[in-house]
Amino acid sequence: MASTKLTKGSIARYKTGDTQQSPIVKITNVRVCGESSTAASNDSERYRLSISDGQDTFDACVLSPDLNKLIKEKRLHDNSIVQLEKVVHNSTATGKSFLIIMDLIILPESSTTTTSNNNNNNKQANTNICPIAMITPYLNGIWKIRARCFAKSAIRPHPVCDFDFVDASGEIRLVAFRDECTRFHPMIEIDKIYDIMGVRVKTADKRWNTLHNDYELTLNSGSIVRLVNDPSVNTSIPDVHYDFIPLQDVSKHTSESYIDVIGIIDTCSDAIPFTSKTSGKDSKRRELTLIDEHTSMSVTLWDDQAEDFDEELAENKTVVAFRRIRVAIYNNKYGLSGSKNMIMKINPDLKEAKHLRIWYDAGGHSVHSQITTTTTPTRPALDASWKTIGQIENEELGRKGRPDYVMLKATCMHIADNRVIYMSCPNDGCSKKVNKLSSALYRCDKCQQDFNECHWTYMFRAELTDSTGAIWASFFGQPAEQLMGYVTAEQFADAKENADELLMQKYLNKNTFREKIFRLRINEETFNDITTVKISCISISDIDFSDYGHRLIANIQNGF
Ligand SMILES: [Zn+2]
């Protein structure tokens, strides 16, 4: 028991009548006291113990008969190290002090766990349990928490370590410094339930402690941490405390904040190796899609978390809860990112999980995919994808192997006036450029068809600017006609055929120098082995200044 320190001075304090302590002492001798009891029943047998606190020894200790079985079962014996939990101090008629030991904990040789041992303990254990959510520095009297350890730090220099505990009401951190760190770190195990008492309550420092609790607990030399080994208690205390945020509200949280979410794993990619740009280190990442009743959200896991992720979770559409997952913004889209202290629970035993399971199995997913695939919002979400031109360039949008969609408030400076229109295939869904044949027919190579008549269609590039820069974007079809002030491609073709430069310029300038909102698609296109970033306009709208104002206010509030 070299790792457990005896509580020096505790015997001296007992002698003065101080029983409000829970010292660790060594049993130096156990004997049956008095010959008078030999004929009596087992129940009335009395044992007398000698104890040592490493400084003093004391041999006038009587064990409460409730605890006799500890001796009969050979759990308590000479050289046992025990923590005295409840002791009554008394004096004989002649004025000699003696102690009656009412309750104790036998500390195991290995010191890795404590043992909760008898009926008396269990009765006492049910008193004064303070729900974690009720803990304040102003609690009076003797109280304890009964909670499950769900996270445990390594021992840091000084030394210090901490344990995160949860009960049905909430979560709280328990911090151990120096001797307590050495003593409790090997003893407290993740997922086990403990009664904890005699701890100090202080205000949590939110820089280090991100648990959902304003306070934290500190262990001291008189603190007691006792393992609770009762299956009926086990079911009443959750594994982890969650404050779930619906996926649709993730965007209400600032980037880099930590939240708890729950959803169904819909898809997952392979673990993708890459080399970190910042550290040059080889890493891995894996992309998941998490869905709930309202929306879907991408989740990126890194390194070990990416590698260890079980792909069957996506195949089986498993419910997974994430605690302390990080809010991230990639390509102007909100997403979630694995973090070091993240906890991922598969099929947690929670009502939220059951709810999702029922929703999904009742066909929720088909409804869901309809929602996500058929809504191309005419008015996109306020905070979804607004970008400046500077951001489009600096964030390398469109270069991540998939298109990015952004909203841009910008001014069209100029439409490139070479060509502007072309003759297109009239077939529905085709709009390929057709070639004029010598027969005066038009041929679409794609449809392998010849036509007598074809449409004029817009296709041009326009220069867009805002205060951060300028870009060229391609315009086709409806947005092109809109930018041309609803002059049709046919009308423009007439002016062009008549070589009416003035009219053409008039058409081209109908909307230049007017600020509009452009919805853009940005992606890489490879043609003849040359890859370029292509920006095309999907729609144009006038600025709704009330909407725009609200968005600015929201951005300010979100700390942009
Ligand atoms: Zn065609």
Side-chain angles (χ1 to χ4, degrees), residues 130-135 145-151 163-174 204 206 209-217 237-244 258-260 322-324 341 343:
C130 178
I132 283 175
M134 304 293 285
I135 291 174
I145 62 166
R146 172 167 290 181
R148 188 191 302 275
C149 177
F150 68 91
F163 310 91
D164 294 342
F165 278 88
V166 59
D167 70 6
S169 75
E171 59 185 6
I172 199 162
R173 177 160 294 173
L174 177 67
K206 290 293 181 184
N209 180 349
T210 55
L211 297 190
H212 297 287
N213 201 316
D214 290 338
Y215 302 108
E216 62 187 28
L217 306 175
I237 298 184
D239 295 347
V240 180
H241 176 76
Y242 299 97
D243 282 316
F244 288 125
Y258 292 93
I259 59 170
D260 305 339
F322 294 91
R323 185 182 173 281
R324 281 184 57 77
N341 296 321
I343 294 173

Side-chain angles (χ1 to χ4, degrees), residues 316-516:
N316 300 334
K317 310 294 175 189
T318 309
V319 177
V320 174
F322 294 91
R323 185 182 173 281
R324 281 184 57 77
I325 195 165
R326 191 161 55 88
V327 177
I329 299 176
Y330 294 119
N331 297 325
N332 210 48
K333 265 194 260 157
Y334 273 91
L336 297 166
S337 176
S339 65
K340 197 166 115 259
N341 296 321
M342 180 178 83
I343 294 173
M344 190 181 122
K345 283 273 177 191
I346 295 158
N347 283 323
D349 185 18
L350 298 168
K351 67 175 194 309
E352 290 89 347
K354 290 180 191 114
H355 186 82
L356 276 167
R357 186 79 268 154
I358 291 166
W359 161 75
Y360 188 92
D361 292 345
H365 183 243
S366 55
V367 173
H368 182 271
S369 56
Q370 273 172 20
I371 294 170
T372 48
T373 55
T374 62
T375 49
T376 16
T378 47
R379 230 180 64 166
L382 275 182
D383 49 9
S385 56
W386 289 87
K387 286 288 172 189
T388 62
I389 288 169
Q391 286 172 316
I392 291 172
E393 287 170 346
N394 295 336
E395 293 173 21
E396 302 194 328
L397 297 187
R399 297 186 205 172
K400 313 265 173 13
R402 57 185 149 71
D404 285 309
Y405 293 88
V406 305
M407 300 294 291
L408 172 70
K409 178 168 155 287
T411 306
C412 171
M413 300 300 286
H414 164 235
I415 293 170
D417 62 2
N418 54 331
R419 206 145 33 119
V420 183
I421 47 169
Y422 70 99
M423 193 65 92
S424 71
C425 172
N427 278 350
D428 266 351
C430 186
S431 51
K432 272 279 186 204
K433 187 172 183 295
V434 291
N435 296 312
K436 198 169 186 179
L437 305 172
S438 54
S439 58
L441 294 173
Y442 296 95
R443 178 164 186 86
C444 174
D445 288 331
K446 190 184 171 200
C447 302
Q448 302 274 311
Q449 250 184 291
D450 297 343
F451 303 97
N452 282 318
E453 274 194 53
C454 283
H455 302 303
W456 285 107
T457 301
Y458 279 123
M459 180 177 71
F460 54 76
R461 300 197 327 134
E463 188 183 20
L464 308 180
T465 65
D466 68 9
S467 60
T468 64
I471 46 168
W472 285 89
S474 302
F475 289 76
F476 304 89
Q478 159 74 20
E481 191 172 308
Q482 213 176 327
L483 192 62
M484 295 292 287
Y486 294 105
V487 172
T488 64
E490 255 72 40
Q491 286 174 288
F492 190 87
D494 281 347
K496 197 173 181 180
E497 266 170 10
N498 297 330
D500 191 342
E501 287 291 333
L502 269 178
L503 189 58
M504 280 165 69
Q505 284 306 320
K506 189 184 157 201
Y507 289 158
L508 287 169
N509 290 330
K510 279 200 134 184
N511 267 316
T512 50
F513 301 106
R514 289 191 194 178
E515 219 178 17
K516 301 264 180 198

Side-chain angles (χ1 to χ4, degrees), residues 106-261:
I106 302 166
L107 301 178
E109 301 297 318
S110 68
S111 186
T112 52
T113 54
T114 55
T115 313
S116 172
N117 32 40
N118 58 52
N119 289 335
N120 190 29
N121 273 355
N122 288 342
K123 258 179 253 153
Q124 196 210 351
N126 288 327
T127 57
N128 299 326
I129 292 176
C130 178
I132 283 175
M134 304 293 285
I135 291 174
T136 72
Y138 317 109
L139 286 174
N140 289 318
I142 298 166
W143 55 273
K144 66 179 170 195
I145 62 166
R146 172 167 290 181
R148 188 191 302 275
C149 177
F150 68 91
K152 171 179 170 177
S153 77
I155 296 180
R156 300 188 295 275
H158 294 313
V160 58
C161 66
D162 47 61
F163 310 91
D164 294 342
F165 278 88
V166 59
D167 70 6
S169 75
E171 59 185 6
I172 199 162
R173 177 160 294 173
L174 177 67
V175 185
F177 296 97
R178 294 176 290 276
D179 288 355
E180 283 67 44
C181 176
T182 314
R183 178 174 151 209
F184 288 105
H185 194 271
M187 180 184 137
I188 298 175
E189 295 178 66
I190 288 177
D191 270 346
K192 298 209 164 152
I193 297 171
Y194 297 89
D195 280 347
I196 299 164
M197 59 195 114
V199 290
R200 201 157 55 88
V201 181
K202 67 180 193 87
T203 303
D205 185 335
K206 290 293 181 184
R207 282 176 302 170
W208 320 114
N209 180 349
T210 55
L211 297 190
H212 297 287
N213 201 316
D214 290 338
Y215 302 108
E216 62 187 28
L217 306 175
T218 312
L219 287 161
N220 55 57
S221 60
S223 299
I224 297 169
V225 178
R226 182 200 298 179
L227 180 71
V228 178
N229 226 341
D230 180 346
S232 67
V233 170
N234 195 42
T235 53
S236 67
I237 298 184
D239 295 347
V240 180
H241 176 76
Y242 299 97
D243 282 316
F244 288 125
I245 304 291
L247 296 179
Q248 63 182 355
D249 291 345
V250 168
S251 60
K252 292 180 184 163
H253 292 257
T254 53
S255 176
E256 304 299 313
S257 58
Y258 292 93
I259 59 170
D260 305 339
V261 297

Side-chain angles (χ1 to χ4, degrees), residues 56 103 105 147 179 260 287 305 311 333 454 545 548 556:
D56 300 312
D103 194 8
I105 300 169
D179 288 355
D260 305 339
E287 306 284 343
Q305 285 172 350
E311 292 175 9
K333 265 194 260 157
C454 283
F545 285 100
Y548 181 67
I556 290 163

